[in-house]
Amino acid sequence: MEREVGLDQLGDLALHIILSKLGPEDTVRVSCVSRRLRLSTSEDSLWALFCFQDLQLSTPQDHQGNPASSFKAAYQLWREAFAMYPWPLVKRVKRCWDKLKNWLSNDFPEVEATLRSGASESDIQQLETRLKVKLPLPTRLLYRFHDGQERTDEGHSSTWLGSSLGIIGGYSFYNHLVNVYLLPISQVIEGTRMVIRHLGFSSRSKYIVVAASAYRPKKFFLNCTNGQLYVGTSNLPTDGEMIQCVPNALIRSVHDLHGDQQQDAMLLWLEEHGRRLENGIIKVCEEGNVRSISLFPEVPPLCSTAVTNGVQVRASAAFVPELANLQDSAEKYLFAYSIRMSLLPGGCIIDGMTFSSCQLNWRHWIIRANEAIISDVNGEAVIGQFPLLHPGENEFVYESCTPLSSSSGSVEGSFTFVPGRLADPKGRPFDVQVARFPLQKPDYVF
Amino acid sequence: MSMAAVETKKITLRTADNHEFEVEEAIAMEFSTIKTFFDENPDASEDTIPLPNVTSKCLSAIIEYCKSHLAFRARETSSSIDEQVRTYDEEFVKARDNESLKELILAANYLNIKALLDMLNQAVADRIKNKSVEYVRRFFGLENDYTPEEEAAIRAENEWAFEGVDPDDD
């Protein structure tokens, strides 16, 4: 007999509010209290709230996208599918993928289409058995959501298109073309075995290949013991030399099933990549007719912009780890840089006169390692070309590279242009500034 | 009756246990139930409003709450005001036992005072968060009307919800 203020009188509204503040686990426990309460805890609007809060779901569906009969059922299916993982980590990994996919669906849906559906626990178990490793928890979860990317160019001839859809993206300069894909488990197994065979890694090594570029040998390795990610340098084939990709201090508890502090390099790396894409630091670029994610930064402070007499020059650099040579003190690191130049719609304006075109003649670069000038060069043209600019055209873009002995430096310089054309100059030559842009080995290496 | 500019209008409320409370109009308008009543019956402001579902103990606590929050809102917003509001709310619920909390919720629900209701519901949620099924049962004063098999079935179906529960310490 209820002598005190009982639940019936508390009111359904108050109860609904209390349950929504309690969260899913406590709500289930409350459903065990009595039949009367079970009714209140079964309200689907409550579970719709939990599905939205935990999983950002607005329709009831399981983790593979199949529709569920109710939000309560959907939530249940999700918890059961991931029962072997700490739930906070599951939510975090889902948010990581969601952020990447949201950006892709707006800016590069062709890449979103390459994401394979999640691996099963037994797929992961197979990888662990065959390669004799134990995957760090966050990486396991990443694969549970998406088993890498599908590459469509196997054996096709007109294939360049198929290899520009790497979700990590890349760059190209001279004949060095890189575009990095996340590998599916089948490729992780095969790739790792090849590396063990050809590069002489011990068969007991805890490194597995998780991402790679289609053409140039750029490979990312996950160390399953410490959870760190590495990328092979130019000395990978001879010495197994690699550079770590994520700040070590951030990696923790990678095999710990308890608590909610687990983070490994794969997760941190993908979260950082998602952030850079979301914030527009890197974007999709088009070269020829091919679109790909370019690792050359697009915004300050990594990208500089200067306008002189109507000529705009944007410039930024990308660290190229696969061509680094940590054993060479003079040319330890290599940076690629991308220069984009254009003539603003107002045309080329010099001393109050307007010209409808201008053409590049010379380049002048000053390269610094830390603050010391290590190179001060003048030369004709850029990559052998003399770009002719007209107002309002697309940017003329070219890439080049420079070695650096230190992890930090900068490039600045100028181009000499003539108004009109080189063959028919309409005035005297003028210098166009390239504002200083940094060369900086980043904390997160892509 | 007197139209002196400085005099604030007062509303009379009568509780379930027949106590009468005179409150400033501003405070009475915090009770949405009463505000709605006056919006629809503007001539009724001189009458005493009966509140058959609210005890005097509850009403006096609620009046205190509304007075304090009105005073807070009258001041400029700042993080230190927010901090003071938080402290006030914490103190408001801290000393009350589960019974009073529930009574206050009923009263706030009846009077339709949204902010207070939300705060009280949060306090109840905080008290039963991560507690065992037994604890919650006692809190609400309910009997277990499940058979052991039924209860076991719910637990088995939802294993994920039963990890890491606080031990009962009473």
Side-chain angles (χ1 to χ4, degrees), chain A residues 132-202:
Chain A
K132 299 197 193 38
V133 294
K134 193 157 131 55
L135 282 188
L137 270 176
T139 299
R140 279 184 82 110
L141 268 172
L142 285 165
Y143 279 111
R144 282 291 308 272
F145 279 88
H146 290 287
D147 182 19
Q149 290 183 264
E150 202 71 70
R151 275 257 309 280
T152 53
D153 70 343
E154 317 295 354
H156 291 203
S157 54
S158 66
T159 57
W160 207 75
L161 272 155
S163 293
S164 66
L165 299 179
I167 192 174
I168 302 298
Y171 34 71
S172 89
F173 55 96
Y174 300 122
N175 61 352
H176 187 85
L177 166 59
V178 154
N179 191 270
V180 176
Y181 281 70
L182 287 179
L183 300 181
I185 285 181
S186 58
Q187 290 292 301
V188 170
I189 296 176
E190 199 180 297
T192 304
R193 283 181 170 161
M194 270 189 16
V195 153
I196 288 175
R197 258 201 313 274
H198 295 148
L199 300 188
F201 278 24
S202 147

Side-chain angles (χ1 to χ4, degrees), chain A residues 65-92:
Chain A
N66 305 317
S69 57
S70 65
F71 280 106
K72 183 166 193 291
Y75 193 88
Q76 175 81 344
L77 288 167
W78 273 86
R79 293 302 296 249
E80 282 168 1
F82 292 100
M84 61 293 285
Y85 299 99
W87 187 243
L89 189 59
V90 176
K91 291 191 279 185
R92 179 173 171 181

Side-chain angles (χ1 to χ4, degrees), chain A residues 1-2 4-15 17-18 21-26 28-38 47 72 75-76 79-80 83, chain B residues 99 102-103 105-106 109 117-118 121-122 124-125 128-133 136-137 140-147 150-151 154-155 157-158 160-165:
Chain A
M1 186 55 173
E2 296 157 30
E4 307 127 329
V5 172
L7 199 56
D8 303 10
Q9 298 141 305
L10 204 52
D12 284 329
L13 175 62
L15 190 53
I17 296 176
I18 292 173
K21 290 183 193 294
L22 279 174
E25 291 90 347
D26 284 292
V28 168
R29 278 184 231 132
V30 167
S31 77
C32 276
V33 167
S34 77
R35 290 173 208 267
R36 158 76 178 82
L37 275 178
R38 190 175 199 187
W47 292 96
K72 183 166 193 291
Y75 193 88
Q76 175 81 344
R79 293 302 296 249
E80 282 168 1
Chain B
E99 273 320 298
K102 285 184 273 178
E103 267 184 40
I105 289 180
L106 286 175
N109 196 32
L117 192 57
D118 201 71
N121 284 326
Q122 181 68 59
V124 169
I128 61 179
K129 187 157 190 68
N130 234 21
K131 294 281 192 259
S132 69
V133 174
V136 178
R137 221 172 251 146
F140 285 117
L142 288 175
E143 298 287 321
N144 181 2
D145 53 359
Y146 285 120
T147 68
E150 284 171 333
E151 188 176 337
I154 303 179
R155 285 175 187 263
E157 247 175 56
N158 299 284
W160 51 268
F162 290 93
E163 302 165 4
V165 174

Side-chain angles (χ1 to χ4, degrees), chain A residues 297-403:
Chain A
E298 294 277 338
V299 297
L302 294 170
C303 182
S304 76
T305 306
V307 180
T308 320
N309 295 348
V311 182
Q312 176 179 273
V313 180
R314 301 190 305 122
S316 65
F319 178 62
V320 181
E322 68 275 20
L323 295 179
N325 181 349
L326 304 181
Q327 292 157 34
D328 180 341
S329 53
E331 302 205 340
K332 205 163 169 190
Y333 298 116
L334 190 83
F335 290 87
Y337 54 86
S338 170
I339 310 292
R340 306 80 145 178
M341 53 183 97
S342 59
L343 190 53
L344 296 181
C348 177
I349 305 176
I350 310 173
D351 297 332
M353 287 193 294
T354 305
F355 303 91
S356 60
S357 71
C358 58
Q359 191 162 19
L360 184 148
N361 199 3
W362 284 90
R363 70 187 185 283
H364 175 214
W365 289 122
I366 297 176
I367 300 176
R368 289 180 169 80
N370 297 316
E371 289 300 313
I373 296 180
I374 53 161
S375 179
D376 187 333
V377 291
N378 279 299
E380 219 185 24
V382 289
I383 57 165
Q385 297 184 37
F386 300 90
L388 175 62
L389 305 180
H390 298 99
E393 271 177 348
N394 285 340
E395 287 176 320
F396 172 84
V397 182
Y398 83 92
E399 296 90 3
S400 185
C401 63
T402 179

Side-chain angles (χ1 to χ4, degrees), chain B residues 1-2 12 33 35-36 71 73 79 85 93 137-138 148 157 161 164:
Chain B
M1 190 190 75
S2 95
T12 310
T33 310
K35 179 170 189 306
T36 312
R73 290 212 296 273
S79 60
V85 169
V93 295
R137 221 172 251 146
R138 274 173 292 165
E157 247 175 56

